[in-house]
Amino acid sequence: MANLEKLKVRNEDEDERTFLCGFRDWTPKCLQFFADIHWFIPFISLCSLVQGMLVSGFINASIPHIEREFGLTSTQSGILLASNDLTGFLFVMFVSYYGEKGHKPTWLGAGSILIGIGAFIYSLPKFMKGDYQPLSTTATFDYNKYELCHHNSSSTIIDLPSHSCTITDNSSGLYLTILCVANMLMGIGATPLNTLGAAYLDENVSPKNSPIYIGIWYGMIILGPSVGFSAAAGFLNEYTNMDGKIPDGIDQLSPLYVGRWWYPFATLGWILVFNGFILMLFPKKMPGALKIREKAIKKGHVQEESKELEEIRKRGFIGFLKATLMLLKNKYLVLVLLASSAKMFIATGVSPFFSKYLTMKYGADPTKANSMIGVILVIGALGGLIIGSIIMRFLDIKKSIKKATIISIVLGVLNCFMAFSYEIKGCDPIDLVSSRQSITFDNGTNAFCNNNCGCLKEHYNPVCANSITYLSPCMAGCTTQKNNITDFTNCACVTPFNVSTKTNENAYQMVQSVTEGKCDQNCDNIYIFLIFIILTIMTSFIGVTPKNMITLRSVPANQRSFAMGLQFLMVRLLGMLPGPIVVGQLFDSTCLIWKYDSCGAKTNCAEYKLESLSNEIKYVSLAGNLINLAFFLMAIWVYKDPHGEEQGVEVIDGKHTTFDEIGQTNPLQVTEDEKDNDQNNNLGDRNQENTEL
C-alpha cells in the first residue's frame, strides 16, 4: 500500500488553488459553486459536439463545393483532409506527456480556442477570392464567348488562348495552403480533447460512475458529425456568394453549383473560443477527487501504480521513450492496433467523398445528400453501440480478451462481404459528346454537325438533347442564344424527331434547342444502397467497445494511458492520415471530364467513370477489411489463452502472469470477511457515493 500512502501525502501537499475555480491567483468565491463535475461535463461536451460538427461534418460535406470554387482535385482534397490528422499525430506525444501532470482544463480550453481560430481561418479563402463565377474562371477570361458554334474555326476543338494565362489565375495553391493551415490548427486543438478529456473525467468521479460521464461525452463525439452533415444541407442550399443570388444558367442540381460552405466556419468557431475560456476556469482537480481515488484504491477498484513505471517516468523524455518501447513489445496489442488502423483507413478515406459518390453514382440531390449521410450515421453508429453493449453483456466479454478478439474477427468477415455493396447498380453511364460528332442523313451520307465550331475542351457547361449530353452548347452545334442565357437554339447536332425525309445537310440546320444540364441517367437503388451502408456502419460501431477493451486490458493498469496514446498515434499515422489521400487519388484516376483553369491546367473533376469508380472503392474497402481481418487472426494466434483468465491472469509486458507469481492478491477475488464488511458498510457507502456523484 506504499502508493496509497504516497497518495495521502500528495493530497496533503496539494495547493488550495488546485481545487478552486479561477485563473491563477484569481479565484473569486462566486465561481466556486461551479467547481463540480456536473458543470464541467456540459462544456466539454459542447466542445466535442461543435468540433465534430466542423471537422468531421461540415468539412467533409463541403468538399465537393470547395473543389468547384477553388478548382481543387480530389487528391488535393485528400491532402487537405489529412492535414488535420498530421498535426494531431505530431503533437499528441507533447500534449499527452506534459498535459498528464499539468492543469488539464487549461489544456482543454486552449485546444477549444485553437479549434475556433482555425475554423475562422478556414473561411478566409472565400473572403479573399470574392464572388464565385461558375461560367468564367477569371475576370480576365470569359468562357461565354465560346458558348456558341461560329463555324469559323479550323477545327471542332481548340486550345485555350495563351494570352488568357495570367499570374493571378493560378491561385488555387494559395487557397489550398490556407485551408490546410486552418485544418492543422483545428487538429492541434483537438489533441487535448482526444487525450486528456476522458482522463480528467475519469480521475474526478468514482470508478462506478466514470462510464456514465465518459459515455455522455463520447455520445457527443458521435453526434457531432451526424449533426454537422444534417445541418450542412441547410447552409449548402444557399449560394456561396454574399448576395446569395444564383447566376443564370445554373441551379442547385448543376455540376457548377457551389453552396455557402464557409458560413458555419465563420460563425460557429467563436462558440469554441468562448467555450475555451470557460473551460480554463475549472480547477485542476475537483474538490474530493483525491479522496475518491484513495477510496477506490483501498477497495481494489483501481489497481496501484507500478513502482517501476513511476521510476521510468522520472527520467523525462527518455523514460517516455522507454515506456513506449515496453508497449511495442506487446505483440498482441500491436497487432490489434494495426487491425484498427486498417479499418480507420477505409472509414476516413471514403467518408469525405461519400456525398460526391451518392450524387454521381445514385443521382442523389446534392442539397439532400448530406442530410442522408447525417441520418445514416445516427442510425448506424447509435445502433451499433447499443448492439455492441448487449453482446458484451450477453457474452460477458469483460472477463475475456479472447472473446473480444473473436467478436472483432466475426465483424471483420461481415465487413468484407459489405464491401460488395458498392456493386449495387446506380445511374447509367453518361452518354457524353466531347469531340467531333457525325450524324447520318436519310440518304445514308454522314456529316460532322459541329465541324469547325472552335469549341473549348476546357469549358464544361453541359446541355442535353436526344438523350445525349454535350460538353457545351458549342459542342452541340448551337449557333443562336436568345435573351435567356440558358436558351440555345439552331443546334446542328440535335436531330428532329418528327421529320423523316431530309436529303441534305442544310435541311438539318433548322431550329432545334437543347436543355441545360446533363441528361437523365435513370438513377435508381439509392435506398437499397443506403441500407447496406447503415449495416456497414453498424457492424463497425459494434466493434468499438470490444477494441477499446482489448487495448485497456492487454496492458498493466498504469500503462493503459500509454496504450491509448499508442492507439491514437498508430490509427492516425497508418489510417486517418493516408486514407483520404489514397481514396482521393482513386477518384481522380476515374475522372471522365476535367474542369480547367484559364491557363489550361486541370482543376476539379466534373464527371466520373461510374463503373470504374465503384470498382476502385469496392477494392480498397475489401482490401482494408481483409487486412483488418488478417491482423485480428494473427492477434488471436499470438495471444495465448490463459485457460482461466478469471482465476487471476494478468498481461504484463506482453506476457501472461498469474497474480500468485508476482506476489499480489487477485483484486477480483473477494474473501468472506470482505463481503461481510461490504454489507455492513453498504448504507454508508451509498451516502458517500451520492455525494461523489
Side-chain angles (χ1 to χ4, degrees), residues 488-523:
F488 297 96
T489 59
N490 293 331
C491 304
C493 295
V494 180
T495 306
F497 290 107
N498 56 354
V499 179
S500 59
T501 58
K502 300 297 178 182
T503 58
N504 60 72
E505 181 179 354
N506 291 331
Y508 278 88
Q509 302 301 318
M510 60 187 300
V511 175
Q512 294 294 322
S513 63
V514 293
T515 305
E516 63 171 322
K518 300 185 295 182
C519 296
D520 185 16
Q521 295 176 256
N522 300 317
C523 301

Side-chain angles (χ1 to χ4, degrees), residues 332-343:
Y332 173 76
L333 174 63
V334 171
L335 288 171
V336 169
L337 295 185
L338 287 173
S340 301
S341 300
K343 187 64 181 177

Side-chain angles (χ1 to χ4, degrees), residues 10-22 24 27 32 35 101-105 200 203-204 281-290:
R10 190 184 304 169
N11 191 3
E12 296 173 357
D13 294 341
E14 289 284 358
D15 192 293
E16 182 182 359
R17 290 174 299 180
T18 300
F19 308 99
L20 297 178
C21 284
R24 294 185 180 273
T27 56
Q32 305 318 310
K101 299 298 182 181
H103 193 283
K104 290 185 179 67
Y200 186 79
E203 67 189 23
N204 284 285
L281 297 177
F282 281 97
K284 181 178 181 180
K285 296 179 181 179
M286 293 295 179
L290 292 179

Side-chain angles (χ1 to χ4, degrees), residues 16 20 47 188 232 264 433 439 449 471 511 542 615 632 637 676:
E16 182 182 359
L20 297 178
C47 182
I188 297 173
V433 174
I439 58 174
C449 58
L471 187 71
V511 175
I542 288 174
N615 288 332
F632 270 120
W637 180 68
D676 293 339

Side-chain angles (χ1 to χ4, degrees), residues 117 229 244 246 417 484 581 587:
I117 294 174
F229 270 107
I246 302 178
F417 286 104
N484 189 338
I581 298 176
F587 267 76

Side-chain angles (χ1 to χ4, degrees), residues 21 57 101 190 218 230 287 306 312 468 482 564 627 636:
C21 284
K101 299 298 182 181
Y218 193 76
S230 300
S306 167
I312 291 176
I468 298 175
K482 294 185 177 181
M564 295 301 292
I627 294 173
I636 202 169

